Amino acid sequence: VRAFCELLGLDPLYMGNEGKLVAVVPAEEAEEALQAVRATALGREAALIGRFTNAQKQVQIETPLGGLRRLDMLYGEGLPRIC
């Protein structure tokens, strides 16, 4: 996906992606929820990918180099569903 997006100048965070689940659970229940999902055949590779803090009022993602960048809302139209 990364190579495809780089070739076309696309950001994979703004592309359609079916068959994924993002669950928001209380921090004290995150590990238990993660283990429950990992116990299923399709959830073996589940991972914690973020957390809510009071420090920022925006979504930030960690870059491959360890920095942070703001994840802006998608403006305009995203790519249409393929299937």
Coordinates of all heavy atoms in Angstrom, one line a residue:
V1 N 0.8 -1.2 0.0 CA 0.0 0.0 0.0 C 0.9 1.2 0.0 O 0.6 2.2 -0.7 CB -1.0 0.0 1.2 CG1 -1.7 1.3 1.4 CG2 -2.0 -1.1 1.1
R2 N 1.9 1.2 0.8 CA 2.8 2.4 0.9 C 3.4 2.7 -0.4 O 3.4 3.9 -0.9 CB 3.9 2.2 1.9 CG 4.8 3.4 2.1 CD 5.9 3.1 3.2 NE 5.2 3.1 4.5 CZ 5.5 2.3 5.5 NH1 6.5 1.5 5.3 NH2 4.9 2.3 6.6
A3 N 3.9 1.7 -1.1 CA 4.6 1.9 -2.4 C 3.6 2.4 -3.5 O 3.9 3.4 -4.2 CB 5.3 0.7 -2.9
F4 N 2.4 1.8 -3.5 CA 1.3 2.3 -4.4 C 1.0 3.7 -4.2 O 0.9 4.5 -5.1 CB 0.1 1.4 -4.2 CG -1.1 1.8 -5.0 CD1 -1.2 1.5 -6.3 CD2 -2.1 2.5 -4.3 CE1 -2.4 1.9 -7.0 CE2 -3.3 2.9 -5.0 CZ -3.4 2.6 -6.3
C5 N 0.8 4.1 -2.9 CA 0.4 5.5 -2.6 C 1.5 6.5 -3.0 O 1.3 7.5 -3.5 CB 0.1 5.6 -1.2 SG -1.5 4.9 -0.8
E6 N 2.8 6.1 -2.7 CA 3.9 6.9 -3.0 C 4.0 7.2 -4.6 O 4.2 8.3 -5.0 CB 5.2 6.4 -2.5 CG 5.3 6.5 -1.0 CD 6.6 5.8 -0.5 OE1 7.4 5.3 -1.3 OE2 6.8 5.8 0.8
L7 N 3.8 6.1 -5.3 CA 3.8 6.3 -6.8 C 2.7 7.2 -7.3 O 3.0 8.0 -8.2 CB 3.6 4.9 -7.5 CG 4.8 4.0 -7.5 CD1 4.4 2.6 -8.0 CD2 5.9 4.5 -8.3
L8 N 1.5 7.2 -6.7 CA 0.4 8.0 -7.1 C 0.3 9.3 -6.4 O -0.7 10.1 -6.6 CB -0.9 7.2 -7.1 CG -0.9 5.9 -8.0 CD1 -2.2 5.2 -7.8 CD2 -0.7 6.3 -9.4
G9 N 1.1 9.5 -5.4 CA 1.0 10.8 -4.6 C -0.2 10.8 -3.7 O -0.8 11.9 -3.4
L10 N -0.6 9.6 -3.2 CA -1.8 9.5 -2.3 C -1.4 9.3 -0.9 O -0.3 8.8 -0.6 CB -2.7 8.4 -2.8 CG -3.3 8.5 -4.2 CD1 -4.0 7.2 -4.6 CD2 -4.2 9.7 -4.3
D11 N -2.3 9.7 0.0 CA -2.0 9.4 1.4 C -2.9 8.3 1.8 O -4.2 8.4 1.8 CB -2.4 10.7 2.3 CG -2.0 10.5 3.7 OD1 -1.9 9.4 4.2 OD2 -1.9 11.6 4.4
P12 N -2.4 7.1 2.3 CA -3.2 6.0 2.6 C -4.2 6.2 3.7 O -5.2 5.5 3.9 CB -2.2 4.9 3.0 CG -1.0 5.6 3.3 CD -1.0 6.9 2.5
L13 N -4.0 7.2 4.6 CA -4.9 7.5 5.7 C -6.2 8.1 5.2 O -7.2 8.2 5.9 CB -4.2 8.5 6.6 CG -3.0 8.0 7.4 CD1 -2.4 9.1 8.2 CD2 -3.5 6.8 8.3
Y14 N -6.2 8.5 3.9 CA -7.5 9.1 3.4 C -8.1 8.2 2.3 O -8.9 8.7 1.5 CB -7.2 10.5 2.8 CG -6.7 11.4 3.9 CD1 -5.4 11.8 4.1 CD2 -7.7 12.0 4.8 CE1 -5.0 12.6 5.1 CE2 -7.3 12.8 5.9 CZ -5.9 13.1 6.0 OH -5.5 13.9 7.0
M15 N -7.6 7.0 2.2 CA -8.2 6.1 1.2 C -9.2 5.2 1.8 O -9.1 4.9 3.0 CB -7.1 5.3 0.6 CG -6.1 6.1 -0.2 SD -4.8 5.1 -0.9 CE -5.7 4.1 -2.0
G16 N -10.1 4.7 1.0 CA -11.1 3.7 1.6 C -10.4 2.4 2.0 O -9.4 2.0 1.4
N17 N -10.8 1.8 3.0 CA -10.2 0.6 3.5 C -11.3 -0.2 4.2 O -11.7 0.1 5.3 CB -9.1 1.0 4.5 CG -8.3 -0.2 4.9 OD1 -8.6 -1.4 4.6 ND2 -7.1 0.0 5.5
E18 N -11.7 -1.2 3.6 CA -12.8 -2.0 4.1 C -12.3 -3.2 4.9 O -11.1 -3.7 4.7 CB -13.7 -2.5 3.0 CG -14.3 -1.4 2.2 CD -15.2 -1.9 1.1 OE1 -15.6 -3.1 1.1 OE2 -15.6 -1.1 0.3
G19 N -13.1 -3.7 5.8 CA -12.7 -4.9 6.6 C -11.8 -4.5 7.8 O -11.1 -5.4 8.3
K20 N -11.8 -3.3 8.3 CA -11.0 -2.9 9.5 C -12.0 -2.5 10.6 O -13.1 -2.0 10.4 CB -10.1 -1.8 9.1 CG -9.2 -2.1 8.0 CD -8.2 -3.2 8.3 CE -7.2 -3.4 7.1 NZ -7.4 -4.6 6.4
L21 N -11.5 -2.6 11.8 CA -12.2 -2.1 13.0 C -11.4 -1.2 13.8 O -10.2 -1.5 14.1 CB -12.6 -3.4 13.8 CG -13.2 -3.0 15.2 CD1 -14.6 -2.5 15.1 CD2 -13.2 -4.3 16.1
V22 N -11.9 -0.1 14.2 CA -11.3 0.8 15.1 C -12.2 0.9 16.3 O -13.4 1.3 16.2 CB -11.0 2.2 14.6 CG1 -10.4 3.1 15.6 CG2 -10.0 2.1 13.4
A23 N -11.8 0.5 17.5 CA -12.6 0.5 18.7 C -12.1 1.5 19.7 O -10.9 1.5 19.9 CB -12.7 -0.9 19.3
V24 N -12.9 2.3 20.2 CA -12.5 3.2 21.3 C -13.0 2.7 22.6 O -14.3 2.5 22.8 CB -13.1 4.6 21.0 CG1 -12.7 5.6 22.1 CG2 -12.6 5.1 19.6
V25 N -12.1 2.3 23.5 CA -12.5 1.8 24.8 C -11.7 2.5 25.9 O -10.7 3.1 25.6 CB -12.1 0.2 24.9 CG1 -12.9 -0.6 23.8 CG2 -10.6 0.0 24.7
P26 N -12.3 2.5 27.1 CA -11.6 3.2 28.2 C -10.2 2.6 28.4 O -9.9 1.4 28.2 CB -12.4 2.8 29.4 CG -13.8 2.5 28.9 CD -13.5 1.9 27.5
A27 N -9.2 3.4 28.7 CA -7.8 3.0 28.8 C -7.6 1.8 29.8 O -6.8 0.9 29.4 CB -7.0 4.2 29.3
E28 N -8.4 1.8 30.9 CA -8.2 0.7 31.8 C -8.7 -0.6 31.3 O -8.5 -1.7 31.8 CB -8.8 1.0 33.2 CG -10.3 1.3 33.1 CD -10.7 2.7 32.8 OE1 -9.8 3.5 32.5 OE2 -11.9 3.0 32.8
E29 N -9.5 -0.6 30.2 CA -10.0 -1.8 29.6 C -9.4 -2.2 28.2 O -9.7 -3.2 27.6 CB -11.5 -1.7 29.3 CG -12.3 -1.5 30.6 CD -13.8 -1.2 30.4 OE1 -14.3 -1.5 29.3 OE2 -14.4 -0.7 31.3
A30 N -8.4 -1.4 27.8 CA -7.8 -1.5 26.5 C -7.1 -2.9 26.3 O -7.2 -3.6 25.3 CB -6.8 -0.4 26.2
E31 N -6.3 -3.3 27.3 CA -5.6 -4.5 27.2 C -6.5 -5.7 27.2 O -6.3 -6.7 26.4 CB -4.6 -4.7 28.4 CG -3.5 -5.8 28.1 CD -2.7 -5.5 26.9 OE1 -2.3 -4.4 26.5 OE2 -2.4 -6.6 26.2
E32 N -7.5 -5.7 28.0 CA -8.5 -6.8 28.0 C -9.3 -6.9 26.6 O -9.4 -8.0 26.1 CB -9.5 -6.6 29.1 CG -10.5 -7.7 29.2 CD -11.5 -7.5 30.3 OE1 -11.3 -6.6 31.1 OE2 -12.5 -8.3 30.4
A33 N -9.6 -5.7 26.1 CA -10.3 -5.7 24.8 C -9.4 -6.2 23.7 O -9.8 -6.9 22.8 CB -10.8 -4.3 24.5
L34 N -8.1 -5.8 23.7 CA -7.1 -6.2 22.7 C -6.9 -7.7 22.8 O -6.9 -8.4 21.7 CB -5.8 -5.5 23.0 CG -4.6 -5.9 22.0 CD1 -5.0 -5.5 20.6 CD2 -3.4 -5.2 22.5
Q35 N -6.9 -8.3 24.0 CA -6.7 -9.8 24.1 C -7.9 -10.5 23.6 O -7.8 -11.6 22.9 CB -6.4 -10.1 25.5 CG -5.1 -9.7 26.0 CD -3.9 -10.0 25.2 OE1 -3.8 -11.1 24.7 NE2 -3.0 -9.1 24.9
A36 N -9.1 -9.9 23.8 CA -10.4 -10.5 23.3 C -10.4 -10.6 21.7 O -10.7 -11.6 21.1 CB -11.6 -9.8 23.8
V37 N -9.9 -9.5 21.1 CA -9.9 -9.4 19.7 C -8.8 -10.4 19.1 O -9.0 -11.1 18.2 CB -9.7 -8.0 19.2 CG1 -9.5 -7.9 17.7 CG2 -10.8 -7.1 19.6
R38 N -7.7 -10.4 19.8 CA -6.6 -11.3 19.3 C -6.9 -12.7 19.4 O -6.4 -13.6 18.8 CB -5.3 -11.0 20.1 CG -4.6 -9.7 19.7 CD -3.3 -9.6 20.5 NE -2.6 -8.4 20.0 CZ -1.6 -7.9 20.7 NH1 -1.3 -8.4 21.9 NH2 -1.0 -6.8 20.3
A39 N -7.9 -13.1 20.3 CA -8.3 -14.5 20.5 C -9.2 -15.0 19.3 O -9.4 -16.2 19.2 CB -9.1 -14.6 21.8
T40 N -9.5 -14.1 18.4 CA -10.3 -14.5 17.2 C -9.4 -14.7 16.0 O -8.3 -14.2 16.0 CB -11.4 -13.4 16.8 OG1 -10.7 -12.3 16.4 CG2 -12.2 -13.1 18.0
A41 N -9.9 -15.5 15.1 CA -9.1 -15.9 13.9 C -8.7 -14.6 13.1 O -7.5 -14.5 12.6 CB -9.8 -16.9 13.0
L42 N -9.6 -13.7 13.0 CA -9.3 -12.5 12.1 C -8.6 -11.4 12.9 O -8.2 -10.4 12.3 CB -10.6 -12.0 11.4 CG -11.2 -13.0 10.5 CD1 -12.5 -12.5 9.9 CD2 -10.2 -13.3 9.3
G43 N -8.5 -11.5 14.2 CA -8.0 -10.5 15.0 C -6.6 -10.7 15.6 O -6.1 -10.0 16.4
R44 N -5.9 -11.7 15.1 CA -4.6 -12.1 15.6 C -3.6 -11.0 15.6 O -2.7 -10.9 16.4 CB -4.1 -13.3 14.9 CG -4.8 -14.6 15.3 CD -4.2 -15.7 14.5 NE -4.4 -15.5 13.1 CZ -4.6 -16.3 12.1 NH1 -4.5 -17.6 12.5 NH2 -4.8 -16.0 10.9
E45 N -3.7 -10.1 14.6 CA -2.7 -9.0 14.5 C -3.2 -7.7 15.0 O -2.6 -6.6 14.8 CB -2.3 -8.9 13.0 CG -1.6 -10.1 12.5 CD -1.2 -9.9 11.0 OE1 -0.8 -8.8 10.6 OE2 -1.3 -10.9 10.3
A46 N -4.2 -7.7 15.9 CA -4.8 -6.5 16.4 C -3.7 -5.8 17.3 O -2.8 -6.4 17.8 CB -6.0 -6.8 17.3
A47 N -3.8 -4.5 17.3 CA -2.8 -3.7 18.0 C -3.5 -2.4 18.6 O -4.4 -1.9 18.0 CB -1.7 -3.3 17.1
L48 N -2.9 -1.9 19.7 CA -3.3 -0.6 20.2 C -2.6 0.4 19.3 O -1.4 0.4 19.1 CB -2.8 -0.4 21.6 CG -3.4 -1.4 22.6 CD1 -2.8 -1.2 24.0 CD2 -4.9 -1.2 22.7
I49 N -3.3 1.4 18.7 CA -2.7 2.3 17.8 C -2.8 3.8 18.2 O -2.3 4.7 17.6 CB -3.4 2.2 16.4 CG1 -4.9 2.6 16.4 CG2 -3.1 0.8 15.8 CD1 -5.5 2.8 15.1
G50 N -3.4 4.0 19.4 CA -3.5 5.4 19.8 C -4.1 5.5 21.2 O -4.5 4.5 21.8
R51 N -4.2 6.8 21.6 CA -4.8 7.0 22.9 C -5.3 8.5 22.9 O -4.9 9.3 22.2 CB -3.9 6.8 24.1 CG -2.7 7.8 24.0 CD -1.8 7.6 25.1 NE -0.7 8.6 24.9 CZ 0.5 8.4 25.1 NH1 0.9 7.3 25.6 NH2 1.4 9.4 24.9
F52 N -6.3 8.7 23.8 CA -6.9 10.0 24.0 C -6.1 10.7 25.2 O -5.9 10.0 26.2 CB -8.3 10.0 24.3 CG -9.2 9.7 23.2 CD1 -9.7 8.4 23.0 CD2 -9.6 10.6 22.3 CE1 -10.5 8.0 21.9 CE2 -10.4 10.3 21.2 CZ -10.8 9.0 21.0
T53 N -5.8 11.9 25.0 CA -5.2 12.7 26.1 C -5.9 14.1 26.1 O -6.5 14.5 25.2 CB -3.7 12.9 25.9 OG1 -3.5 13.8 24.8 CG2 -2.9 11.6 25.7
N54 N -5.7 14.7 27.2 CA -6.3 16.1 27.4 C -5.3 17.1 26.9 O -5.7 18.3 26.8 CB -6.7 16.3 28.8 CG -7.8 15.5 29.3 OD1 -8.7 15.2 28.5 ND2 -7.8 15.1 30.6
A55 N -4.1 16.7 26.5 CA -3.1 17.7 26.1 C -3.4 18.4 24.8 O -3.2 19.5 24.6 CB -1.7 17.0 26.0
Q56 N -4.0 17.6 23.9 CA -4.3 18.2 22.5 C -5.7 18.0 22.2 O -6.3 17.0 22.6 CB -3.4 17.5 21.5 CG -1.9 17.6 21.7 CD -1.4 19.0 21.4 OE1 -2.0 19.7 20.6 NE2 -0.4 19.4 22.1
K57 N -6.3 18.9 21.5 CA -7.7 18.8 21.0 C -7.7 18.5 19.5 O -8.5 19.0 18.8 CB -8.4 20.2 21.3 CG -8.4 20.6 22.7 CD -9.2 19.6 23.5 CE -9.3 20.1 25.0 NZ -9.5 19.1 25.9
Q58 N -6.8 17.7 19.1 CA -6.7 17.3 17.7 C -6.1 15.9 17.6 O -5.5 15.4 18.6 CB -5.8 18.3 16.9 CG -4.4 18.3 17.5 CD -3.5 19.5 16.9 OE1 -4.0 20.2 16.1 NE2 -2.3 19.6 17.3
V59 N -6.2 15.3 16.5 CA -5.7 13.9 16.3 C -4.3 14.1 15.7 O -4.0 14.8 14.8 CB -6.5 13.1 15.3 CG1 -5.9 11.8 15.0 CG2 -8.0 12.9 15.8
Q60 N -3.3 13.4 16.4 CA -2.0 13.4 16.0 C -1.5 12.0 15.7 O -2.0 11.1 16.5 CB -1.0 14.1 17.0 CG -1.3 15.5 17.2 CD -0.3 16.1 18.2 OE1 0.1 15.5 19.2 NE2 0.1 17.4 18.0
I61 N -0.7 11.8 14.8 CA -0.1 10.5 14.5 C 1.4 10.6 14.6 O 2.0 11.6 14.4 CB -0.5 9.9 13.2 CG1 -0.1 10.8 12.0 CG2 -2.0 9.7 13.1 CD1 -0.3 10.2 10.7
E62 N 2.0 9.4 15.0 CA 3.5 9.4 15.1 C 4.0 9.0 13.8 O 3.6 8.0 13.2 CB 3.9 8.4 16.2 CG 5.3 8.4 16.5 CD 5.7 7.5 17.7 OE1 4.9 7.3 18.6 OE2 6.9 7.0 17.7
T63 N 5.0 9.7 13.3 CA 5.6 9.4 12.0 C 6.6 8.3 12.2 O 7.0 8.0 13.3 CB 6.4 10.7 11.5 OG1 7.5 11.0 12.4 CG2 5.4 11.9 11.4
P64 N 7.1 7.7 11.1 CA 8.1 6.6 11.2 C 9.4 7.1 11.9 O 10.1 6.3 12.4 CB 8.3 6.2 9.7 CG 7.1 6.6 9.0 CD 6.6 7.8 9.7
L65 N 9.7 8.4 11.9 CA 10.9 8.9 12.5 C 10.6 9.3 14.0 O 11.6 9.7 14.6 CB 11.4 10.1 11.7 CG 11.8 9.8 10.3 CD1 12.2 11.1 9.6 CD2 12.9 8.8 10.2
G66 N 9.4 9.1 14.5 CA 9.1 9.3 15.9 C 8.6 10.7 16.2 O 8.3 11.0 17.3
G67 N 8.4 11.5 15.1 CA 7.8 12.9 15.4 C 6.3 12.7 15.3 O 5.7 11.7 15.1
L68 N 5.6 13.8 15.6 CA 4.1 13.9 15.6 C 3.7 14.8 14.4 O 4.3 15.8 14.2 CB 3.6 14.4 16.9 CG 3.8 13.5 18.1 CD1 3.2 14.2 19.3 CD2 3.1 12.2 17.9
R69 N 2.6 14.4 13.8 CA 2.0 15.3 12.8 C 0.5 15.2 13.0 O -0.1 14.2 13.4 CB 2.4 14.9 11.4 CG 1.6 13.8 10.7 CD 1.9 13.7 9.2 NE 1.3 12.6 8.6 CZ 0.3 12.6 7.8 NH1 -0.2 13.8 7.5 NH2 -0.2 11.5 7.3
R70 N -0.2 16.4 12.7 CA -1.6 16.5 12.9 C -2.3 15.7 11.7 O -1.9 15.8 10.6 CB -2.0 17.9 12.9 CG -3.5 18.1 13.2 CD -3.9 19.6 13.3 NE -3.8 20.2 12.0 CZ -3.5 21.4 11.8 NH1 -3.1 22.2 12.7 NH2 -3.4 21.9 10.5
L71 N -3.3 15.0 12.1 CA -4.1 14.3 11.1 C -5.4 15.1 10.8 O -6.3 15.2 11.7 CB -4.5 12.9 11.6 CG -5.3 12.1 10.6 CD1 -4.5 11.8 9.3 CD2 -5.7 10.8 11.2
D72 N -5.4 15.8 9.7 CA -6.5 16.7 9.4 C -7.7 15.9 8.8 O -7.6 14.8 8.3 CB -6.1 17.7 8.3 CG -5.0 18.7 8.8 OD1 -5.2 19.2 10.0 OD2 -4.1 19.0 8.1
M73 N -8.9 16.5 9.0 CA -10.1 15.9 8.4 C -10.0 16.0 6.9 O -9.3 16.8 6.3 CB -11.3 16.8 8.8 CG -11.5 16.8 10.3 SD -13.0 16.0 10.9 CE -14.2 16.0 9.7
L74 N -10.6 15.0 6.2 CA -10.6 14.9 4.8 C -11.4 16.0 4.2 O -12.6 16.2 4.6 CB -11.1 13.6 4.3 CG -11.2 13.4 2.8 CD1 -9.9 13.5 2.1 CD2 -11.9 12.0 2.5
Y75 N -10.9 16.8 3.3 CA -11.7 17.9 2.6 C -12.0 17.4 1.2 O -11.1 16.8 0.6 CB -10.9 19.2 2.6 CG -10.7 19.8 4.0 CD1 -9.4 19.7 4.6 CD2 -11.7 20.4 4.7 CE1 -9.2 20.2 5.8 CE2 -11.5 20.9 5.9 CZ -10.3 20.8 6.5 OH -10.1 21.3 7.8
G76 N -13.1 17.7 0.7 CA -13.5 17.2 -0.6 C -13.9 15.8 -0.6 O -14.3 15.2 0.5
E77 N -13.9 15.2 -1.7 CA -14.3 13.8 -1.8 C -13.2 12.8 -1.7 O -12.1 13.0 -2.3 CB -15.1 13.6 -3.1 CG -16.4 14.3 -3.2 CD -17.3 13.8 -4.2 OE1 -17.2 12.6 -4.5 OE2 -18.1 14.6 -4.7
G78 N -13.4 11.7 -1.0 CA -12.4 10.7 -0.9 C -12.5 9.8 -2.1 O -13.4 10.0 -3.0
L79 N -11.7 8.8 -2.2 CA -11.8 7.8 -3.3 C -13.1 7.0 -3.1 O -13.4 6.7 -2.0 CB -10.6 6.9 -3.3 CG -9.3 7.5 -3.6 CD1 -8.1 6.5 -3.5 CD2 -9.3 8.1 -5.1
P80 N -13.8 6.7 -4.2 CA -15.0 6.0 -4.1 C -14.8 4.5 -3.7 O -13.6 4.0 -3.9 CB -15.6 6.1 -5.5 CG -14.4 6.3 -6.4 CD -13.4 7.1 -5.6
R81 N -15.8 3.9 -3.2 CA -15.7 2.5 -2.9 C -15.4 1.7 -4.2 O -15.9 2.0 -5.2 CB -17.0 2.0 -2.3 CG -17.2 2.5 -0.9 CD -18.6 2.1 -0.4 NE -18.7 0.6 -0.4 CZ -18.9 -0.1 0.6 NH1 -18.9 0.5 1.8 NH2 -19.0 -1.4 0.5
I82 N -14.5 0.7 -4.1 CA -14.1 0.0 -5.3 C -15.0 -1.2 -5.5 O -15.3 -1.6 -6.6 CB -12.6 -0.5 -5.1 CG1 -11.8 0.8 -5.0 CG2 -12.2 -1.4 -6.2 CD1 -10.3 0.5 -4.6
C83 N -15.5 -1.8 -4.4 CA -16.4 -3.0 -4.6 C -17.8 -2.7 -4.6 O -18.3 -1.7 -4.3 CB -16.1 -4.1 -3.6 SG -16.3 -3.5 -1.9

